[in-house]
Amino acid sequence: MLYFPFQARRLEAQLDDQMSAYRKLVSMKSDGSENDIESDIERSLKQLQQVNSQMQTWVSSGGSEVLSHTLTRHMEILQDLTQEFYRLKSSLRVKQQHASLLDLRDFDRAKFDVEEASDSADQALLREQAAINRSTGQMDNVISQAQATLGALMTQRSTFGGITTKISNVSSRLPSINHVLASIRRKKSMDTIILSLVASVCAFLIFIYWLSK
């Protein structure tokens, strides 16, 4: 019957080593190896429980008083080891959940930073588009003014052409007006040069406008 106490002490010593390793694991960052150690400890606790149950059966059938005290001591050790194991296991689970929440918070923060950067890029594009639209509107105004000026100059040219024709008719009758006609022709030539310059500028602006589209 000395076999039961010997087997109980062997399992208790084995559990001491396993619990020591488990305590170190709980104090460190989890690496996923806790499942193997927990399985080994649970298996050893179950075996010790079976040995104590067998010893209790023998004591109940009329075993010695000394073995009864030994059984009581082994049952107390089993209870202490079991309580400590589940306390450490619960502490490890809380620690793992806390680490998981921290990882999730870091992920959410990184996601928020990415979304914020994306929003900033979108706003920058919108501002750039608004600036382009304003520039296009200003270009349209300039071109409209240039076209209006060109129309006015064309009208003025037509008017001067009519006046020149009439004066030419009069000059054939009044040779003394030749000097006046010469002055008008010089002014007409100057107006023609100005009109050509304005037309060139308008054509250039229209070309720039279509390129900016």
Side-chain angles (χ1 to χ4, degrees):
M1 295 298 109
L2 295 177
Y3 172 75
F4 293 132
F6 172 77
Q7 190 175 13
R9 285 192 295 270
R10 182 183 62 80
L11 289 171
E12 289 167 357
Q14 179 176 308
L15 279 166
D16 284 338
D17 293 338
Q18 292 172 338
M19 291 293 293
S20 177
Y22 192 57
R23 291 188 198 97
K24 292 180 181 179
L25 180 63
V26 171
S27 63
M28 297 166 54
K29 185 176 180 180
S30 176
D31 58 359
S33 62
E34 66 275 2
N35 293 331
D36 294 336
I37 298 179
E38 289 173 356
S39 297
D40 293 339
I41 293 175
E42 289 174 347
R43 184 165 47 253
S44 297
L45 288 173
K46 185 176 180 180
Q47 291 175 354
L48 182 58
Q49 176 64 44
Q50 292 174 348
V51 170
N52 287 344
S53 297
Q54 293 173 355
M55 196 184 311
Q56 185 176 17
T57 300
W58 189 82
V59 169
S60 299
S61 63
S64 65
E65 188 69 21
V66 176
L67 188 57
S68 177
H69 290 295
T70 302
L71 173 61
T72 301
R73 178 56 184 159
H74 287 307
M75 292 182 68
E76 291 174 351
I77 293 174
L78 174 61
Q79 183 178 2
D80 292 340
L81 289 172
T82 302
Q83 290 177 352
E84 183 181 7
F85 169 66
Y86 284 108
R87 180 182 61 81
L88 291 173
K89 185 176 181 180
S90 177
S91 177
L92 180 59
R93 294 296 180 269
V94 171
K95 184 178 178 181
Q96 290 173 337
Q97 291 176 359
H98 181 67
S100 178
L101 290 175
L102 290 178
D103 292 340
L104 181 60
R105 187 185 65 179
D106 292 340
F107 173 77
D108 290 340
R109 182 179 300 171
K111 182 180 178 182
F112 174 77
D113 292 340
V114 171
E115 291 177 348
E116 187 177 29
S118 178
D119 291 340
S120 299
D122 292 340
Q123 291 176 0
L125 289 175
L126 290 175
R127 288 193 296 269
E128 183 178 355
Q129 182 64 39
I132 292 174
N133 291 336
R134 286 195 298 270
S135 299
T136 303
Q138 293 173 356
M139 182 67 72
D140 290 339
N141 292 333
V142 171
I143 291 175
S144 297
Q145 292 174 2
Q147 289 175 342
T149 302
L150 179 60
L153 289 174
M154 293 293 291
T155 301
Q156 185 178 5
R157 180 182 180 183
S158 177
T159 301
F160 276 118
I163 293 173
T164 302
T165 301
K166 292 178 181 180
I167 292 176
S168 296
N169 294 331
V170 174
S171 65
S172 62
R173 301 175 185 177
L174 300 174
S176 60
I177 302 178
N178 287 335
H179 180 70
V180 176
L181 291 176
S183 298
I184 292 174
R185 289 191 184 96
R186 285 195 298 271
K187 187 176 187 309
K188 179 182 177 182
S189 298
M190 184 62 67
D191 290 338
T192 301
I193 293 173
I194 293 174
L195 181 61
S196 298
L197 289 174
V198 171
S200 298
V201 171
C202 290
F204 177 75
L205 290 175
I206 292 173
F207 178 73
I208 294 298
Y209 172 74
W210 284 111
L211 287 180
S212 66
K213 290 289 187 178

